């Protein structure tokens, strides 16, 4: 079902923002990403506020992989966040911009990646992914004669491809016993992460399971758990906007489906209640969060120029979807706004990029009075899992313009 009001309100707000952008920065910089640090800061503060309202002891880490433009991480740090990194490259970037509280998570960390974490052990906590990684980390830390703060990732969805992450819940006790035999590791906590949450159901269900496992630990082992990191995966409230008939590649006017997400305040209320009922009734530890998409999604937009109008219902833009790194708009819907001829009305027209491949689609329609060569187009809220996936494919990666 299409909810025209959600979309038209969104379009209206972004027309205002886009017009301001052209007014301040001009029309000569396309294609580009337009980045708004103020949006990251206000999202980060809203996220913190929602959970701090309920929970006594919290820490927040921005998941760098969702948008690895360093200014996004910088804006998160300025809002009181730490950083959640999942590679040596992300860790080095985090250290370079001055992050002082970093969690390093992810499968298959190499020795050289672990070494960076060991050298900077005052700033980095390692969230270990397996029993063998525990042994590897102990070895690297012993070699450097350092003690490393660490936790373990627990798998919260041991089916299909998500099996690759972490250890199984029923192995937690064994993991803790093994970590006690590692003199260079200070075991301090547990992490889990579930993705694509439109509501808190998955997180709440896993918190219950985790509570049962914690209940089976000895009193002294329970005391070792100083933090529980419940990951990210919060979907922004506008939800997911999909073309339902995208399977049919020849359908050039697909229907839309809107899958709304609950507000962050509702996530916070339900998750906090589950934490009080299942975790805080046993241990008084810190709760950590690793939101990515929720923080950065609305902070970056793509700005393009129409370079060629080939038919009345087909235009080509100066940038290509190498700027987002995948064929996003064949499945996802985002409004294409004609900033040069604004109107709250959507018209049919194929909006295609300039890459030499047919899979270079921005959209099947645009919002505006008309569309002509030289017009400036905006695709709003492309901050999450686009910039990080950008590729130097056929065309260069566009520049980032920081606004204001
Ligand atoms: C990707 C990831 C996140 C961020 O997920 P979002 O859906 O962007 O909030 C957080 N934690 C871990 C461990 C991740 O892999």
């Amino acid at each position: 079902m299409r909810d025209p009001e959600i979309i038209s309100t969104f379009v209206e707000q972004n027309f205002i923002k886009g017009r301001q952008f052209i007014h301040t920065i001009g029309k000569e910089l396309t294609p580009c990403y337009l980045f708004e640090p103020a949006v990251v800061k206000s999202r980060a503060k809203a996220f913190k506020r929602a959970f701090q309202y309920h929970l006594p002891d919290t820490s927040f880490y921005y998941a760098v992989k969702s948008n690895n433009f360093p200014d996004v991480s910088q804006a998160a740090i300025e809002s009181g966040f730490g950083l959640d990194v999942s590679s040596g490259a992300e860790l080095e970037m985090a250290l370079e911009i001055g992050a002082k509280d970093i969690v390093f998570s992810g499968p298959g960390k190499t020795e050289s990646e672990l070494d960076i974490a060991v050298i900077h052990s005052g700033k980095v906590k390692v969230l270990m992914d397996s029993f063998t990684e525990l042994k590897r980390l102990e070895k690297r830390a012993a070699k450097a004669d350092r003690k490393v703060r660490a936790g373990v990732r627990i798998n919260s969805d041991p089916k299909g491809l998500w099996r690759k992450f972490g250890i199984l819940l029923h192995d937690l006790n064994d993991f803790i016993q093994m970590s006690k035999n590692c003199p260079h590791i200070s075991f301090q906590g547990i992490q889990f992460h579930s993705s694509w949450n439109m509501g808190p159901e998955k997180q709440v269900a896993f918190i219950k399971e985790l509570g049962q496992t914690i209940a089976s630990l000895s009193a002294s082992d329970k005391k070792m758990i100083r933090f529980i990191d419940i990951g990210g995966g919060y979907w922004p409230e506008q939800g997911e906007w999909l073309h339902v008939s995208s399977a049919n590649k020849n359908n050039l006017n697909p229907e839309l489906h809107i899958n709304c997400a609950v507000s962050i305040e509702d996530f916070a209320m339900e998750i906090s209640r589950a934490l009080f009922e299942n975790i805080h009734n046993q241990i008084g530890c810190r709760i950590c969060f690793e939101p990515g998409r929720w923080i950065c999604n609305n902070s970056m937009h793509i700005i393009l120029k129409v370079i060629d109008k080939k038919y009345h219902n087909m235009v080509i833009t100066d940038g290509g979807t190498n700027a987002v790194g995948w064929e996003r708009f064949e499945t996802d819907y985002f409004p294409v706004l004609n900033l040069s001829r604004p109107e709250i009305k959507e018209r049919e027209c194929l909006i295609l990029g300039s890459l030499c491949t047919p899979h270079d689609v921005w959209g099947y329609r645009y919002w505006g009075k008309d569309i002509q060569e030289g017009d400036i187009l905006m695709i709003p809220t492309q901050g999450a899992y686009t910039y990080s996936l950008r590729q130097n494919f056929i065309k260069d990666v566009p520049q980032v313009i920081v606004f204001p």
Side-chain angles (χ1 to χ4, degrees), residues 56-169:
D57 188 5
T58 48
S59 279
F60 300 88
Y61 299 86
Y62 165 64
V64 171
K65 78 166 192 273
S66 61
N67 186 322
N68 61 6
F69 183 54
D71 294 32
V72 181
S73 293
Q74 188 71 60
I77 292 172
E78 285 168 21
S79 316
F81 272 51
L83 298 180
D84 162 29
V85 301
S86 43
S87 69
E90 288 184 358
L91 176 52
E92 280 177 335
M93 184 276 276
L95 291 164
E96 228 161 81
I97 64 171
K100 293 190 175 62
D101 186 10
I102 302 169
V103 291
F104 183 14
S105 164
K109 301 178 193 74
T110 63
E111 286 193 346
S112 59
E113 287 176 322
L114 292 174
D115 283 345
I116 308 170
V118 168
I119 295 166
H120 298 278
S121 57
K123 296 176 182 169
V124 186
K125 277 197 290 264
V126 179
L127 300 175
M128 299 175 285
D129 203 63
S130 68
F131 283 83
T132 51
E133 191 167 279
L134 169 61
K135 286 188 205 149
R136 264 198 308 279
L137 182 60
E138 166 61 23
K139 221 176 183 172
R140 302 316 295 172
K143 190 153 185 260
D145 194 23
R146 295 243 182 183
K147 189 144 184 162
V148 180
R149 293 169 300 152
V152 65
R153 176 154 179 180
I154 308 279
N155 189 301
S156 58
D157 184 9
K159 293 182 298 285
L161 294 176
W162 284 85
R163 257 178 77 200
K164 77 184 268 186
F165 298 106
I167 65 164
L168 296 171
L169 198 44

Side-chain angles (χ1 to χ4, degrees), residues 63 65-66 84 105 153 191 193 195-196 231-234 290-294 385:
K65 78 166 192 273
S66 61
D84 162 29
S105 164
R153 176 154 179 180
Q191 175 209 26
H193 164 72
S195 181
W196 227 273
Y234 307 85
E290 302 169 342
R293 184 189 302 274
W294 203 91
Y385 301 98

